[in-house]
Amino acid sequence: FVLHYQPKWDTRTGKITGVEALLRWQHPERGLIGPDAFLGALEECGLMLPVGKWVLDTACAQAQAWHRQGIPPIQMSVNLSAREFQDARLAGDVGALLEELYLDPEPLDLEVTETMLMADADGALAVMKELRQMGVGLSIDDFGMALARDEDFAAAYYGRAMAWYQQGDYQRAAIDVVLVQGVVRRAGGRVPRR
């Protein structure tokens, strides 16, 4: 496995404000393979936790290396799997890693999906609170995906989700494109295509 770091840009200034650590498999014959092709197998084999830990360790070590090279701290976003987020050791492991590498927790941003959070809302709130108390950033990825894909489900889900999000301790929500398309479609507009 290898990590690639996708830059995040501030569109107003044109400056890089952070990176997202992306897991890839460097296959000897097929080349670079995206996670959709292997994450299911990692889950089935029970390897998601050790691989996820490797991703977090490697991303934080890279952030430390950049800092030692004189690069100012930037946000390092790392996606968590549902299995990682539900692991009771998550906050302790993150805290130990930051302490070991002498890293400030603020630039670390852990990304979790909306679906993952809603599976166990009370448990998710407790984990989020613990990580935020450490100073680690949290982002919700694919926000609105569940709402946008099924209009009947959306009606029942919307009130519960909005109440839950008001309690959540997160900094950013990446809105899923399907939600935006659904809103535009329901409003009678057209979704621009590229």
Side-chain angles (χ1 to χ4, degrees):
F1 293 113
V2 295
L3 286 186
H4 286 243
Y5 299 95
Q6 177 176 296
K8 293 183 175 187
W9 300 86
D10 182 325
T11 56
R12 291 169 291 164
T13 66
K15 294 184 179 179
I16 294 175
T17 59
V19 295
E20 181 174 0
L22 302 174
L23 180 64
R24 300 293 183 257
W25 175 21
Q26 184 64 56
H27 191 277
E29 296 170 6
R30 294 172 44 203
L32 206 56
I33 298 175
D36 291 346
F38 60 82
L39 287 182
L42 290 177
E43 282 285 359
E44 286 177 28
C45 295
L47 295 173
M48 189 55 77
L49 283 178
V51 171
K53 183 173 180 351
W54 176 83
V55 169
L56 185 60
D57 291 354
T58 303
C60 287
Q62 182 62 64
Q64 181 194 50
W66 286 334
H67 184 66
R68 278 192 302 218
Q69 293 170 2
I71 298 171
I74 59 172
Q75 182 185 68
M76 173 65 78
S77 296
V78 178
N79 292 294
L80 295 180
S81 71
R83 181 72 185 94
E84 290 171 276
F85 192 71
Q86 294 163 356
D87 184 16
R89 299 169 294 191
L90 176 64
D93 287 350
V94 169
L97 176 63
L98 294 172
E99 189 173 308
E100 174 188 331
L101 295 175
Y102 301 102
L103 282 179
D104 179 9
E106 192 172 314
L108 179 60
D109 182 59
L110 301 178
E111 293 188 5
V112 294
T113 65
E114 174 187 44
T115 307
M116 183 188 321
L117 295 176
M118 294 309 295
D120 176 15
D122 292 335
L125 285 172
V127 172
M128 291 171 76
K129 182 177 181 180
E130 192 172 2
L131 289 166
R132 286 300 302 141
Q133 286 175 340
M134 294 169 43
V136 174
L138 294 165
S139 294
I140 299 174
D141 202 10
D142 299 333
F143 177 80
M145 183 186 294
L147 290 172
R149 294 187 194 266
D150 182 341
E151 291 186 27
D152 293 332
F153 174 71
Y157 174 89
Y158 183 76
R160 178 176 168 231
M162 291 301 108
W164 186 89
Y165 286 121
Q166 289 173 354
Q167 297 175 51
D169 196 0
Y170 60 92
Q171 286 69 52
R172 284 162 291 285
I175 298 173
D176 189 88
V177 68
V178 176
L179 175 63
V180 175
Q181 291 170 341
V183 168
V184 171
R185 188 173 43 257
R186 283 184 218 128
R190 291 182 356 163
V191 178
R193 304 263 183 222
R194 287 190 190 202

